Amino acid sequence: MAVISGIIKGWEAASRFFSFPGFKRRTIFRSHSLKDPGLAGKVRENLQKSRPVVLLYFDLVKFHEVEQVSGFQAASKILAMFKKSLEREIPEIFPGIEILAVENLWGDDFVVLMAMEGRPEYGELQKIAVTSRIGIGERIKQEYLKITGREPDIHVGYAVLSFKAENVESQLYTALREAQGMARGSISLETAMLLSEFREILDQARFEIVYQPIVSLRSGGILGWEALTRGPRESYFRSPDIIFSFAEKAGLLYPLERVCRRLALENLGDLGPDQKLFLNIHPRTISDPHFVRGETMRLIGEMGLKPSSIVFEITERHCIKDFPNFNKTLEHYRSQGYMVAVDDVGSGFSSLQSIAEIRPDFIKIDMSLVRDINLNSIKRVLLETFINFAEKIGCAIIAEGIETGEELTTLANIGAHYGQGYFLGRPVFPKAYLDETVEVKVLRLASSGRNRAWKHAFPVGEIAENAVSVRKDCLVREVKKILEENDLLDGVVVVEEGKPVGLVMRYRLDRYLGMQYGVPLYFDRPITSLMDTSPLVVEEDTPIEIVSQVAMNRNRLKLYDYIIVTRNQLLKGVVSVQTLLDTMTRIRLEIARGANPLTGLPGNIAIEQELSRRARENEDCAVIYLDLDHFKSYNDRYGFESGDRVILFTAALLSSVVKKFGARNDFIGHIGGDDFIIITVPEKAEILCARIARYFDRLIRRFYDPEDRAAGGIRGCDRSGGETFFPLISISMAIVECTGHDCLYDQKKFSEKAAQLKRYAKSLPGSVYVKDRRSSSGARHLTY
């Protein structure tokens, strides 16, 4: 019988030994399940007493040849003899060790579990393995020779269970994989010597998780954070490459990824609105039974997160051999709301088949394609092709390894959606520290050039219209009736538990029903028989520029179908192509007419329109006027190009702070020169000013030479021509609150009040904000 050959896969052996649910058992050969159902309890009891449990794995080499030459009965006799020898010999060889189990796994594979006093050293384990190999070999040698005509060749591997007394079944499986690898030679002597250190690090979860930002190259906002693993400092296992390659070689990849996932979630801190956590997943571990059983779902629930906040990042450096099973598991997670990214595309390991099969939400371009892309035209064309390809299949590109401003500018100009790299932000721990370091560092990128990467992005959700939806079990006749009663309605969305699963456009329905026998064939069938199962679906925060590109690249037969807009994957509304194009045209006209040519922020015309709109709608608001102090002396000292960089930096800073701390409909305008305006709700005004002042004072120093930074300013000429000392640029802010439309209608009175407050703010040193004395105690001078 071929199954006695002993060629046993780790998963198959583990499923027979530990009875993991979800794995099929072979029945060609007799079943060898554990005779002692209380074994897991015994192991747990010893671990609780700090008694390590040693697992010895024995393999009779080339035993399949015995079966083929001597027959099944002889093979069975040898296996029975071998098991009996283990049961008798092991207690005699190691009299001070408690034997917990001696079991035949499958065919010629045997396992012995022993409890010890004190953690064994590497040399002691080696002695145990060698002694048992020699002792058992001598015990069966004569009978084995008599039956087969040759001496037995036994391979032995070992592993130690010294974790906490939790997940014992999982630890047993891990130990079996480790011992198997050692016995079969996949774990070298050098690896075996390091196993003790690695298992101790894994046992104590002594890994450091750092988080690197992934930034939108169209809005400047942060899409999310990639969790990256580091080992203990001064350890051989410091590097993530060494950690994961060693774990894979030692058969410890599953427990390692579980520990890293848990640490990544526990140390994360608060994610920003709609931000995501990227978790690296090896293709083979995604089918880990503990992973499937919802461990990640439980952890994210404890952290107050949703599945839609998690992106599984699957590396393309490892081949996916079984796409059907892999996709089945992947769809399980997608159905729960998780997202998927494919990593390392372009590294030489990727395949278009992987992308086609996985259908990712994000494609991460390897740094090898990003490096020096500003100097390499072939790389630029290749990445442009990837971007077009991604948009046509409805996903987004993330460019990894950005290290220079030139690379960033090039990527933004060719339309890359997101970026990641040391230039944008180095990995930092813990994530809670990022609010005032890496995230602020990202803001200064606007000073590196006048590219479109940091222009305001208009979200498609703002033009979404209410949608008419029906359930999956709705009949075709009912949908037809809905459309007949609403002449202006072009289609309906089919939903399941609030999630869009299909789209029925009027023209498509009429085409089917207009066919010969169309009415009797379809009229009383569910609408799922006619709906488009792959409509264009976008989240509400997707910029309309991206939506427009994807929509116009659809199949020409679907070119004018509704675009379905979702909020957290639930139906929010629909957008017609006509509405989309009209909005794009209007935005471009408004920008051309009123945008500031340097920063791209709305100019004076747009500012006046926004104030008038709020007056018409009787909104209470707060208007913040912002002005840079000592900016002229900086221009005189460093030149106008450097001055432009400061203006761009200020615009980016205001945009980021308002996006993170402001209200949904806040407005930012550029009056001209170094004058800006923010219109917000009254309760947000002081919060915004305090943050702006803090970040501005911290970051403006980077625009000065080291000697000027050390001096705290520069020497220059004042208006009368005399030499004087000018402090570093600071920002003065004046808050004017408006109730309803009172002050907005009296523009002259409003401007005078603002001018008075600005003069007072500029008379104070440093970055400050002042507020109308009728509603506040006056100025608040911020110090850091």
Side-chain angles (χ1 to χ4, degrees), residues 54 69 77 87 90 140 230 247 263 269 311-312 318 357 408 411 454 498 582 605 627 651 653 688 704 750 777:
V54 175
V69 174
K77 184 178 179 180
E87 291 171 341
I90 294 293
I140 69 170
R230 302 287 185 269
L263 292 176
V311 181
F312 291 143
H318 301 278
E357 294 280 354
L408 173 67
L411 289 165
W454 306 97
D582 288 346
I605 296 175
D627 186 14
L653 174 64
L688 293 177
Y704 286 85
F750 181 74
S777 59

PDB file of all heavy atoms in Angstrom, residues 54 69 77 87 90 140 230 247 263 269 311-312 318 357 408 411 454 498 582 605 627 651 653 688 704 750 777:
ATOM      1  N   VAL A  54       9.431  17.731  25.724  1.00  0.00           N
ATOM      2  CA  VAL A  54      10.255  17.466  24.549  1.00  0.00           C
ATOM      3  C   VAL A  54       9.503  16.532  23.615  1.00  0.00           C
ATOM      4  O   VAL A  54       8.941  15.517  24.058  1.00  0.00           O
ATOM      5  CB  VAL A  54      11.609  16.840  24.945  1.00  0.00           C
ATOM      6  CG1 VAL A  54      12.411  16.466  23.707  1.00  0.00           C
ATOM      7  CG2 VAL A  54      12.397  17.796  25.817  1.00  0.00           C
ATOM      8  N   VAL A  69       9.252  -4.368  -1.482  1.00  0.00           N
ATOM      9  CA  VAL A  69      10.040  -5.593  -1.638  1.00  0.00           C
ATOM     10  C   VAL A  69       9.498  -6.730  -0.774  1.00  0.00           C
ATOM     11  O   VAL A  69       9.344  -7.871  -1.228  1.00  0.00           O
ATOM     12  CB  VAL A  69      11.527  -5.333  -1.307  1.00  0.00           C
ATOM     13  CG1 VAL A  69      12.317  -6.643  -1.324  1.00  0.00           C
ATOM     14  CG2 VAL A  69      12.108  -4.329  -2.284  1.00  0.00           C
ATOM     15  N   LYS A  77       4.595  -5.645  10.433  1.00  0.00           N
ATOM     16  CA  LYS A  77       5.307  -6.265  11.547  1.00  0.00           C
ATOM     17  C   LYS A  77       6.432  -5.371  12.044  1.00  0.00           C
ATOM     18  O   LYS A  77       6.646  -5.205  13.263  1.00  0.00           O
ATOM     19  CB  LYS A  77       5.865  -7.611  11.091  1.00  0.00           C
ATOM     20  CG  LYS A  77       6.556  -8.394  12.193  1.00  0.00           C
ATOM     21  CD  LYS A  77       7.040  -9.740  11.688  1.00  0.00           C
ATOM     22  CE  LYS A  77       7.747 -10.512  12.804  1.00  0.00           C
ATOM     23  NZ  LYS A  77       8.229 -11.832  12.330  1.00  0.00           N
ATOM     24  N   GLU A  87       8.330   2.213  23.149  1.00  0.00           N
ATOM     25  CA  GLU A  87       7.638   2.179  24.433  1.00  0.00           C
ATOM     26  C   GLU A  87       8.524   1.566  25.527  1.00  0.00           C
ATOM     27  O   GLU A  87       8.464   1.984  26.694  1.00  0.00           O
ATOM     28  CB  GLU A  87       6.349   1.373  24.298  1.00  0.00           C
ATOM     29  CG  GLU A  87       5.304   2.067  23.438  1.00  0.00           C
ATOM     30  CD  GLU A  87       4.105   1.184  23.119  1.00  0.00           C
ATOM     31  OE1 GLU A  87       4.230  -0.059  23.254  1.00  0.00           O
ATOM     32  OE2 GLU A  87       3.060   1.724  22.740  1.00  0.00           O
ATOM     33  N   ILE A  90      12.703   3.907  25.422  1.00  0.00           N
ATOM     34  CA  ILE A  90      12.818   5.314  25.830  1.00  0.00           C
ATOM     35  C   ILE A  90      12.860   5.465  27.347  1.00  0.00           C
ATOM     36  O   ILE A  90      13.735   6.164  27.880  1.00  0.00           O
ATOM     37  CB  ILE A  90      11.678   6.160  25.218  1.00  0.00           C
ATOM     38  CG1 ILE A  90      11.809   6.223  23.694  1.00  0.00           C
ATOM     39  CG2 ILE A  90      11.672   7.567  25.804  1.00  0.00           C
ATOM     40  CD1 ILE A  90      13.012   6.979  23.201  1.00  0.00           C
ATOM     41  N   ILE A 140      16.077  -2.840  17.281  1.00  0.00           N
ATOM     42  CA  ILE A 140      15.335  -3.459  16.183  1.00  0.00           C
ATOM     43  C   ILE A 140      16.253  -4.013  15.095  1.00  0.00           C
ATOM     44  O   ILE A 140      15.787  -4.574  14.111  1.00  0.00           O
ATOM     45  CB  ILE A 140      14.341  -2.462  15.551  1.00  0.00           C
ATOM     46  CG1 ILE A 140      15.076  -1.343  14.805  1.00  0.00           C
ATOM     47  CG2 ILE A 140      13.393  -1.896  16.596  1.00  0.00           C
ATOM     48  CD1 ILE A 140      14.151  -0.469  13.977  1.00  0.00           C
ATOM     49  N   ARG A 230      10.260  43.819  13.812  1.00  0.00           N
ATOM     50  CA  ARG A 230      11.679  43.858  14.120  1.00  0.00           C
ATOM     51  C   ARG A 230      11.928  42.938  15.318  1.00  0.00           C
ATOM     52  O   ARG A 230      11.112  42.855  16.222  1.00  0.00           O
ATOM     53  CB  ARG A 230      12.143  45.280  14.475  1.00  0.00           C
ATOM     54  CG  ARG A 230      11.895  46.316  13.386  1.00  0.00           C
ATOM     55  CD  ARG A 230      12.852  46.129  12.224  1.00  0.00           C
ATOM     56  NE  ARG A 230      12.699  47.195  11.244  1.00  0.00           N
ATOM     57  CZ  ARG A 230      11.882  47.136  10.202  1.00  0.00           C
ATOM     58  NH1 ARG A 230      11.119  46.058  10.028  1.00  0.00           N
ATOM     59  NH2 ARG A 230      11.794  48.124   9.342  1.00  0.00           N
ATOM     60  N   ALA A 247      12.002  31.405  10.289  1.00  0.00           N
ATOM     61  CA  ALA A 247      10.757  30.776  10.744  1.00  0.00           C
ATOM     62  C   ALA A 247      10.210  29.821   9.686  1.00  0.00           C
ATOM     63  O   ALA A 247       9.703  28.742  10.012  1.00  0.00           O
ATOM     64  CB  ALA A 247       9.719  31.849  11.066  1.00  0.00           C
ATOM     65  N   LEU A 263       0.491  41.481  18.052  1.00  0.00           N
ATOM     66  CA  LEU A 263       1.243  42.646  18.508  1.00  0.00           C
ATOM     67  C   LEU A 263       0.922  43.879  17.665  1.00  0.00           C
ATOM     68  O   LEU A 263       0.826  44.995  18.189  1.00  0.00           O
ATOM     69  CB  LEU A 263       2.743  42.348  18.452  1.00  0.00           C
ATOM     70  CG  LEU A 263       3.270  41.307  19.430  1.00  0.00           C
ATOM     71  CD1 LEU A 263       4.752  41.042  19.185  1.00  0.00           C
ATOM     72  CD2 LEU A 263       3.047  41.746  20.877  1.00  0.00           C
ATOM     73  N   GLY A 269      -2.669  51.752  18.595  1.00  0.00           N
ATOM     74  CA  GLY A 269      -3.180  53.072  18.943  1.00  0.00           C
ATOM     75  C   GLY A 269      -4.396  53.382  18.089  1.00  0.00           C
ATOM     76  O   GLY A 269      -4.983  52.502  17.444  1.00  0.00           O
ATOM     77  N   VAL A 311      -6.054  45.476   5.834  1.00  0.00           N
ATOM     78  CA  VAL A 311      -5.645  45.058   4.492  1.00  0.00           C
ATOM     79  C   VAL A 311      -4.624  43.941   4.647  1.00  0.00           C
ATOM     80  O   VAL A 311      -3.572  44.132   5.251  1.00  0.00           O
ATOM     81  CB  VAL A 311      -5.025  46.225   3.701  1.00  0.00           C
ATOM     82  CG1 VAL A 311      -4.638  45.751   2.293  1.00  0.00           C
ATOM     83  CG2 VAL A 311      -6.007  47.391   3.595  1.00  0.00           C
ATOM     84  N   PHE A 312      -4.948  42.749   4.127  1.00  0.00           N
ATOM     85  CA  PHE A 312      -3.992  41.643   4.115  1.00  0.00           C
ATOM     86  C   PHE A 312      -3.044  41.841   2.943  1.00  0.00           C
ATOM     87  O   PHE A 312      -3.462  41.858   1.783  1.00  0.00           O
ATOM     88  CB  PHE A 312      -4.706  40.301   3.977  1.00  0.00           C
ATOM     89  CG  PHE A 312      -5.504  39.914   5.187  1.00  0.00           C
ATOM     90  CD1 PHE A 312      -6.711  39.252   5.050  1.00  0.00           C
ATOM     91  CD2 PHE A 312      -5.059  40.214   6.453  1.00  0.00           C
ATOM     92  CE1 PHE A 312      -7.451  38.892   6.158  1.00  0.00           C
ATOM     93  CE2 PHE A 312      -5.789  39.856   7.575  1.00  0.00           C
ATOM     94  CZ  PHE A 312      -6.995  39.193   7.425  1.00  0.00           C
ATOM     95  N   HIS A 318       6.686  34.827  -2.834  1.00  0.00           N
ATOM     96  CA  HIS A 318       6.469  33.399  -2.610  1.00  0.00           C
ATOM     97  C   HIS A 318       5.387  32.912  -3.557  1.00  0.00           C
ATOM     98  O   HIS A 318       4.338  33.520  -3.696  1.00  0.00           O
ATOM     99  CB  HIS A 318       6.055  33.139  -1.155  1.00  0.00           C
ATOM    100  CG  HIS A 318       7.070  33.605  -0.166  1.00  0.00           C
ATOM    101  ND1 HIS A 318       8.176  32.860   0.160  1.00  0.00           N
ATOM    102  CD2 HIS A 318       7.159  34.757   0.544  1.00  0.00           C
ATOM    103  CE1 HIS A 318       8.900  33.516   1.055  1.00  0.00           C
ATOM    104  NE2 HIS A 318       8.308  34.667   1.299  1.00  0.00           N
ATOM    105  N   GLU A 357      -5.908  36.247 -10.380  1.00  0.00           N
ATOM    106  CA  GLU A 357      -6.589  35.327  -9.481  1.00  0.00           C
ATOM    107  C   GLU A 357      -7.004  35.995  -8.173  1.00  0.00           C
ATOM    108  O   GLU A 357      -8.095  35.786  -7.666  1.00  0.00           O
ATOM    109  CB  GLU A 357      -5.667  34.135  -9.174  1.00  0.00           C
ATOM    110  CG  GLU A 357      -5.355  33.244 -10.357  1.00  0.00           C
ATOM    111  CD  GLU A 357      -6.479  32.276 -10.662  1.00  0.00           C
ATOM    112  OE1 GLU A 357      -7.451  32.229  -9.892  1.00  0.00           O
ATOM    113  OE2 GLU A 357      -6.380  31.572 -11.687  1.00  0.00           O
ATOM    114  N   LEU A 408       9.301  61.259  -5.742  1.00  0.00           N
ATOM    115  CA  LEU A 408       7.924  61.573  -5.357  1.00  0.00           C
ATOM    116  C   LEU A 408       7.233  62.410  -6.416  1.00  0.00           C
ATOM    117  O   LEU A 408       6.099  62.132  -6.818  1.00  0.00           O
ATOM    118  CB  LEU A 408       7.917  62.306  -4.024  1.00  0.00           C
ATOM    119  CG  LEU A 408       6.556  62.853  -3.578  1.00  0.00           C
ATOM    120  CD1 LEU A 408       5.606  61.712  -3.266  1.00  0.00           C
ATOM    121  CD2 LEU A 408       6.694  63.761  -2.376  1.00  0.00           C
ATOM    122  N   LEU A 411       6.412  60.338  -9.531  1.00  0.00           N
ATOM    123  CA  LEU A 411       5.305  59.416  -9.280  1.00  0.00           C
ATOM    124  C   LEU A 411       3.964  60.151  -9.244  1.00  0.00           C
ATOM    125  O   LEU A 411       2.962  59.657  -9.772  1.00  0.00           O
ATOM    126  CB  LEU A 411       5.535  58.679  -7.958  1.00  0.00           C
ATOM    127  CG  LEU A 411       6.664  57.651  -7.964  1.00  0.00           C
ATOM    128  CD1 LEU A 411       7.041  57.268  -6.531  1.00  0.00           C
ATOM    129  CD2 LEU A 411       6.253  56.412  -8.750  1.00  0.00           C
ATOM    130  N   TRP A 454      -0.448  67.419  -4.174  1.00  0.00           N
ATOM    131  CA  TRP A 454      -1.039  67.891  -2.938  1.00  0.00           C
ATOM    132  C   TRP A 454      -2.261  68.781  -3.183  1.00  0.00           C
ATOM    133  O   TRP A 454      -2.678  69.498  -2.301  1.00  0.00           O
ATOM    134  CB  TRP A 454       0.022  68.631  -2.121  1.00  0.00           C
ATOM    135  CG  TRP A 454       1.213  67.771  -1.926  1.00  0.00           C
ATOM    136  CD1 TRP A 454       2.362  67.777  -2.643  1.00  0.00           C
ATOM    137  CD2 TRP A 454       1.349  66.718  -0.983  1.00  0.00           C
ATOM    138  NE1 TRP A 454       3.215  66.810  -2.201  1.00  0.00           N
ATOM    139  CE2 TRP A 454       2.628  66.151  -1.189  1.00  0.00           C
ATOM    140  CE3 TRP A 454       0.527  66.198   0.019  1.00  0.00           C
ATOM    141  CZ2 TRP A 454       3.083  65.094  -0.423  1.00  0.00           C
ATOM    142  CZ3 TRP A 454       1.001  65.145   0.777  1.00  0.00           C
ATOM    143  CH2 TRP A 454       2.256  64.616   0.549  1.00  0.00           C
ATOM    144  N   GLY A 498     -27.701  45.413   2.707  1.00  0.00           N
ATOM    145  CA  GLY A 498     -27.185  46.765   2.543  1.00  0.00           C
ATOM    146  C   GLY A 498     -26.012  46.899   1.602  1.00  0.00           C
ATOM    147  O   GLY A 498     -25.629  48.011   1.232  1.00  0.00           O
ATOM    148  N   ASP A 582     -20.137  66.613 -15.646  1.00  0.00           N
ATOM    149  CA  ASP A 582     -20.537  68.004 -15.368  1.00  0.00           C
ATOM    150  C   ASP A 582     -19.770  68.553 -14.165  1.00  0.00           C
ATOM    151  O   ASP A 582     -19.317  69.707 -14.177  1.00  0.00           O
ATOM    152  CB  ASP A 582     -22.042  68.087 -15.094  1.00  0.00           C
ATOM    153  CG  ASP A 582     -22.870  67.890 -16.360  1.00  0.00           C
ATOM    154  OD1 ASP A 582     -22.286  67.949 -17.463  1.00  0.00           O
ATOM    155  OD2 ASP A 582     -24.086  67.672 -16.231  1.00  0.00           O
ATOM    156  N   ILE A 605     -12.179  84.943  -5.364  1.00  0.00           N
ATOM    157  CA  ILE A 605     -13.545  84.765  -5.876  1.00  0.00           C
ATOM    158  C   ILE A 605     -14.226  83.628  -5.136  1.00  0.00           C
ATOM    159  O   ILE A 605     -15.372  83.747  -4.675  1.00  0.00           O
ATOM    160  CB  ILE A 605     -13.529  84.502  -7.397  1.00  0.00           C
ATOM    161  CG1 ILE A 605     -12.982  85.720  -8.135  1.00  0.00           C
ATOM    162  CG2 ILE A 605     -14.918  84.129  -7.891  1.00  0.00           C
ATOM    163  CD1 ILE A 605     -12.821  85.493  -9.629  1.00  0.00           C
ATOM    164  N   ASP A 627      -1.625  84.927   8.809  1.00  0.00           N
ATOM    165  CA  ASP A 627      -0.629  85.782   8.168  1.00  0.00           C
ATOM    166  C   ASP A 627       0.745  85.407   8.715  1.00  0.00           C
ATOM    167  O   ASP A 627       0.897  85.151   9.916  1.00  0.00           O
ATOM    168  CB  ASP A 627      -0.961  87.258   8.495  1.00  0.00           C
ATOM    169  CG  ASP A 627      -0.050  88.216   7.754  1.00  0.00           C
ATOM    170  OD1 ASP A 627       0.640  87.777   6.814  1.00  0.00           O
ATOM    171  OD2 ASP A 627      -0.017  89.403   8.131  1.00  0.00           O
ATOM    172  N   ALA A 651       0.506  76.077   3.047  1.00  0.00           N
ATOM    173  CA  ALA A 651      -0.740  75.580   2.460  1.00  0.00           C
ATOM    174  C   ALA A 651      -0.951  74.108   2.795  1.00  0.00           C
ATOM    175  O   ALA A 651      -2.063  73.687   3.155  1.00  0.00           O
ATOM    176  CB  ALA A 651      -0.713  75.786   0.942  1.00  0.00           C
ATOM    177  N   LEU A 653       0.350  72.431   5.317  1.00  0.00           N
ATOM    178  CA  LEU A 653       0.125  72.311   6.758  1.00  0.00           C
ATOM    179  C   LEU A 653      -1.331  72.607   7.104  1.00  0.00           C
ATOM    180  O   LEU A 653      -1.984  71.856   7.827  1.00  0.00           O
ATOM    181  CB  LEU A 653       1.059  73.265   7.506  1.00  0.00           C
ATOM    182  CG  LEU A 653       0.854  73.366   9.024  1.00  0.00           C
ATOM    183  CD1 LEU A 653       1.150  72.031   9.678  1.00  0.00           C
ATOM    184  CD2 LEU A 653       1.723  74.449   9.624  1.00  0.00           C
ATOM    185  N   LEU A 688      -8.005  74.166  15.839  1.00  0.00           N
ATOM    186  CA  LEU A 688      -7.208  74.267  14.615  1.00  0.00           C
ATOM    187  C   LEU A 688      -6.035  75.226  14.808  1.00  0.00           C
ATOM    188  O   LEU A 688      -4.901  74.927  14.413  1.00  0.00           O
ATOM    189  CB  LEU A 688      -8.092  74.726  13.453  1.00  0.00           C
ATOM    190  CG  LEU A 688      -9.173  73.753  12.992  1.00  0.00           C
ATOM    191  CD1 LEU A 688     -10.013  74.394  11.881  1.00  0.00           C
ATOM    192  CD2 LEU A 688      -8.566  72.453  12.498  1.00  0.00           C
ATOM    193  N   TYR A 704      15.577  77.147   7.299  1.00  0.00           N
ATOM    194  CA  TYR A 704      16.691  78.049   7.601  1.00  0.00           C
ATOM    195  C   TYR A 704      18.006  77.275   7.595  1.00  0.00           C
ATOM    196  O   TYR A 704      18.036  76.071   7.842  1.00  0.00           O
ATOM    197  CB  TYR A 704      16.497  78.698   8.974  1.00  0.00           C
ATOM    198  CG  TYR A 704      15.447  79.776   9.013  1.00  0.00           C
ATOM    199  CD1 TYR A 704      14.104  79.449   9.202  1.00  0.00           C
ATOM    200  CD2 TYR A 704      15.779  81.121   8.876  1.00  0.00           C
ATOM    201  CE1 TYR A 704      13.123  80.433   9.250  1.00  0.00           C
ATOM    202  CE2 TYR A 704      14.814  82.115   8.921  1.00  0.00           C
ATOM    203  CZ  TYR A 704      13.480  81.767   9.106  1.00  0.00           C
ATOM    204  OH  TYR A 704      12.532  82.748   9.145  1.00  0.00           O
ATOM    205  N   PHE A 750     -17.141  93.607   8.985  1.00  0.00           N
ATOM    206  CA  PHE A 750     -16.470  92.317   9.174  1.00  0.00           C
ATOM    207  C   PHE A 750     -14.968  92.452   8.909  1.00  0.00           C
ATOM    208  O   PHE A 750     -14.133  91.969   9.671  1.00  0.00           O
ATOM    209  CB  PHE A 750     -17.098  91.300   8.223  1.00  0.00           C
ATOM    210  CG  PHE A 750     -16.527  89.922   8.330  1.00  0.00           C
ATOM    211  CD1 PHE A 750     -16.827  89.098   9.402  1.00  0.00           C
ATOM    212  CD2 PHE A 750     -15.688  89.426   7.351  1.00  0.00           C
ATOM    213  CE1 PHE A 750     -16.311  87.826   9.501  1.00  0.00           C
ATOM    214  CE2 PHE A 750     -15.154  88.160   7.436  1.00  0.00           C
ATOM    215  CZ  PHE A 750     -15.473  87.354   8.520  1.00  0.00           C
ATOM    216  N   SER A 777     -11.588  85.520  26.291  1.00  0.00           N
ATOM    217  CA  SER A 777     -10.814  86.339  27.223  1.00  0.00           C
ATOM    218  C   SER A 777      -9.686  87.077  26.536  1.00  0.00           C
ATOM    219  O   SER A 777      -8.989  87.857  27.160  1.00  0.00           O
ATOM    220  CB  SER A 777     -10.236  85.447  28.330  1.00  0.00           C
ATOM    221  OG  SER A 777      -9.422  84.453  27.762  1.00  0.00           O
TER     222      SER A 777
END
